[in-house]
Amino acid sequence: VCDPGRKESKFSPYQVKLSCIFMGLGQIFCRQYIKGVLLMILEGLFIFFLAVAGVSNIIGLFTLGTVEGVPMMGIEGDNSVAMLTWGIVTIFLCLLFVLAYYANIKDIIFTTGEIRKGKKVKTFFESCSALVNGKFYFLTLTVPLVFVLIFNIMPIVFTATIAFTDYNDLSPELISWAGLNSFKIIFTMSEYVTTMGKILAWNFLWAFGSTFINYFGGLGLALLYNAKCVKWKRVWRIFPMLAYAIPSFITLRAFNFMFCDAGPIVGLLKEWKWVDSNFTIISFDSKWSIRLLGFFCCAWISIPSIMFLSTGILSNANNDMYEAARLDGANGFQQFLYLTLPFVLFATTPIIISTFIANFNNFSIFYFLRPEETLVSGYFNANSADLLINWMYRLTVDKKLYA
């Protein structure tokens, strides 16, 4: 076995072929009895699952049911949504089993290679110990990966498949695959196309504008609080902390009350004769007034978090660079542009990206500022302040257009 002059056979050992036929057989012939039995049990359970429910789940994924329910006659019928869900779950389980089968073959190839080198085969407990000690990162990353798969990936796949069906309401009727019909409606009907174009343009403007205001507003506050001329810094930091600590939906409902037609802000402006008696900020046809209020509310909620982050980063700045810059004649703006901003941007780029994504999908701002269903001309089931996610909510939850 250990003869260096011996040529390796181009054929795999019989243990590898056995594990290719059935998981765990090769490990048993390599005297790894516990591992082999566990792998055989795993494949046996998977075959049992396919026989009992897996095959029917996959068939149901393609048919989405054939028996229509009639509650008055006691006929329950097929639940198309449940069949779609269990079909997707079965597909994911099949993919996980394929990965397990691949790991089984890779393991037996490694084991037979160790036998050819004349090394002792590890027992099950020795393999577990080597996994914990040598590949602990694998165990720690597997757990969150499983949860991400269950709570993130699978719901996204389910939601995406709904778009290819005619699922439009909560009735017990059967649904069927509709192909690209929903996409044809979105991109061919003038009402949808016009509304999507307007909302998408506003959504990008909102995401870029709010991210810019929040980031530089928080950075500006951090620079102001770090200035030597500011006294009682701890006292001043309490106010942004309070704005950050209060739940955002409470803040947004408070702003909705303050700036509505019956609220104190608009009432005072009318009382002081600063605005016309018909002036409104939050109304069924308001556009830029509600949008500007959204920018203000988003800044009120988000700037404190950026300020706290920037304050911690600025505390690590090298003061010698600023002293050298002042000696070279650089003014305050030049110091900020060439020293402070690159230093902070390097550390906060991931925060900027995550903030942009959060603002692009910010559902709560305009939902709580204008909670009532206000539809304006030029928009289909939407209004001028809705983002894509708000429009999606109206179409699915309010209008039951799930497809």
Side-chain angles (χ1 to χ4, degrees):
V1 174
C2 298
D3 183 7
R6 179 183 176 183
K7 294 183 179 180
E8 292 291 336
S9 173
K10 63 180 180 179
F11 299 104
S12 300
Y14 72 94
Q15 295 97 330
V16 177
K17 296 178 181 179
L18 289 174
S19 287
C20 291
I21 297 173
F22 202 92
M23 288 175 58
L25 278 179
Q27 282 82 352
I28 290 178
F29 278 86
C30 290
R31 297 183 179 181
Q32 293 181 316
Y33 301 111
I34 300 179
K35 182 190 294 184
V37 170
L38 291 177
L39 290 174
M40 292 180 67
I41 292 175
L42 177 61
E43 183 167 354
L45 291 175
F46 180 74
I47 294 175
F48 177 77
F49 167 73
L50 288 180
V52 174
V55 175
S56 61
N57 290 342
I58 295 176
I59 294 174
L61 177 63
F62 290 96
T63 63
L64 295 181
T66 56
V67 180
E68 186 174 354
V70 183
M72 296 181 61
M73 299 180 62
I75 301 176
E76 185 176 353
D78 293 327
N79 190 333
S80 297
V81 177
M83 297 176 74
L84 177 63
T85 305
W86 284 111
I88 294 173
V89 171
T90 303
I91 294 295
F92 272 90
L93 290 178
C94 291
L95 293 176
L96 291 177
F97 178 76
V98 170
L99 292 177
Y101 213 100
Y102 171 76
N104 152 71
I105 297 175
K106 188 176 180 180
D107 173 75
I108 193 61
I109 292 175
F110 173 78
T111 302
T112 54
E114 293 293 295
I115 293 175
R116 286 181 175 182
K117 295 177 183 178
K119 296 183 179 180
K120 179 184 175 182
V121 178
K122 293 181 180 180
T123 64
F124 176 75
F125 297 103
E126 289 175 345
S127 299
C128 292
S129 177
L131 179 63
V132 172
N133 296 326
K135 294 185 178 181
F136 182 72
Y137 63 90
F138 178 79
L139 294 177
T140 55
L141 292 177
T142 300
V143 176
L145 180 62
V146 170
F147 281 98
V148 168
L149 182 67
I150 295 174
F151 295 105
N152 291 91
I153 305 300
M154 288 182 58
I156 291 174
V157 173
F158 172 78
T159 307
T161 54
I162 287 293
F164 299 94
T165 68
D166 56 359
Y167 181 30
N168 290 324
D169 52 34
L170 296 176
S171 64
E173 298 177 358
L174 294 177
I175 66 174
S176 59
W177 293 108
L180 300 175
N181 289 339
S182 298
F183 295 92
K184 291 178 181 178
I185 293 174
I186 285 288
F187 293 106
T188 57
M189 286 185 61
S190 59
E191 295 87 355
Y192 278 106
V193 174
T194 304
T195 302
M196 176 171 284
K198 292 179 180 180
I199 292 180
L200 187 62
W202 159 237
N203 208 147
F204 275 104
L205 176 62
W206 158 263
F208 281 107
S210 58
T211 302
F212 180 86
I213 293 172
N214 297 344
Y215 182 78
F216 284 99
L219 180 58
L221 272 183
L223 292 173
L224 181 62
Y225 287 142
N226 284 345
K228 296 181 180 180
C229 60
V230 176
K231 298 181 180 180
W232 306 314
K233 297 180 180 179
R234 295 182 179 179
V235 176
W236 293 116
R237 286 195 180 101
I238 293 176
F239 298 102
M241 189 181 300
L242 291 175
Y244 178 68
I246 296 175
S248 59
F249 79 94
I250 295 178
T251 302
L252 292 172
R253 293 300 292 150
F255 276 112
N256 173 265
F257 167 73
M258 293 174 62
F259 287 92
C260 68
D261 291 343
I265 302 297
V266 177
L268 285 176
L269 293 178
K270 292 180 179 179
E271 183 180 347
W272 295 341
K273 306 297 183 182
W274 289 6
V275 295
D276 187 72
S277 59
N278 297 323
F279 174 78
T280 59
I281 296 178
I282 303 176
S283 65
F284 73 95
D285 59 347
S286 59
K287 184 175 181 180
W288 280 107
S289 60
I290 186 70
R291 290 180 175 182
L292 294 176
L293 181 60
F295 280 117
F296 175 74
C297 295
C298 186
W300 182 277
I301 295 171
S302 303
I303 281 179
S305 61
I306 304 296
M307 183 205 71
F308 294 139
L309 177 65
S310 301
T311 301
I313 296 173
L314 291 173
S315 63
N316 297 320
N318 188 356
N319 293 325
D320 295 337
M321 295 190 304
Y322 293 93
E323 185 65 27
R326 283 191 291 269
L327 292 176
D328 288 340
N331 55 34
F333 178 76
Q334 291 173 328
Q335 294 177 35
F336 169 77
L337 186 61
Y338 296 107
L339 295 179
T340 304
L341 188 59
F343 176 72
V344 177
L345 278 177
F346 178 78
T348 57
T349 298
I351 304 299
I352 296 176
I353 297 174
S354 62
T355 303
F356 176 83
I357 296 173
N359 288 331
F360 191 89
N361 298 306
N362 198 327
F363 173 80
S364 59
I365 291 289
F366 295 104
Y367 179 78
F368 288 111
L369 282 181
R370 189 159 60 182
E372 66 275 3
E373 184 177 354
T374 54
L375 308 179
V376 298
S377 61
Y379 290 83
F380 182 74
N381 290 326
N383 60 55
S384 57
D386 280 343
L387 304 178
L388 281 176
I389 192 169
N390 299 107
W391 189 38
M392 185 189 308
Y393 181 84
R394 292 180 186 275
L395 291 177
T396 55
V397 178
D398 295 338
K399 304 300 179 182
K400 313 301 182 185
L401 302 175
Y402 294 97

